[in-house]
Amino acid sequence: MNHPQGLALSALPADDDTLIPRADLPRYLPVKKQTLARWAHEGQGPAYIKVGRRLVAYRAGDLREWLRAQARRNTIAIDRL
């Protein structure tokens, strides 16, 4: 998959405890940092860690876990079944 700006995405770091600052996350996921901030405000998206007042980071392992949970087999909402 290509990044919106045409760049290839990088693989997540192998160490699950590696912290990735929100500003750097678009290198790994095709999601804008503004979308990540909105998701965090709404209680959605991957788990994150807040360090101090402003630094928000994501553990590589939490991102992998969240990505696995996003896998879908169809577009039908389960609550409609």
Side-chain angles (χ1 to χ4, degrees):
M1 175 180 275
N2 286 337
H3 191 275
Q5 286 82 21
L7 304 173
L9 294 173
S10 299
L12 288 168
D15 183 354
D16 282 348
D17 290 325
T18 299
L19 291 178
I20 303 169
R22 180 180 285 157
D24 294 345
L25 202 57
R27 284 197 264 172
Y28 304 97
L29 297 177
V31 178
K32 293 180 180 182
K33 63 182 181 178
Q34 295 90 338
T35 300
L36 293 161
R38 181 175 47 81
W39 285 351
H41 178 75
E42 295 171 352
Q44 301 177 27
Y48 63 92
I49 296 170
K50 188 162 183 178
V51 181
R53 294 184 64 143
R54 295 187 183 251
L55 178 63
V56 175
Y58 298 81
R59 289 179 60 247
D62 291 337
L63 292 169
R64 259 188 284 284
E65 181 180 316
W66 179 78
L67 284 168
R68 282 186 198 107
Q70 301 313 300
R72 301 289 186 262
R73 298 199 187 280
N74 60 52
T75 58
I76 299 171
I78 292 178
D79 59 350
R80 290 191 205 168
L81 297 177

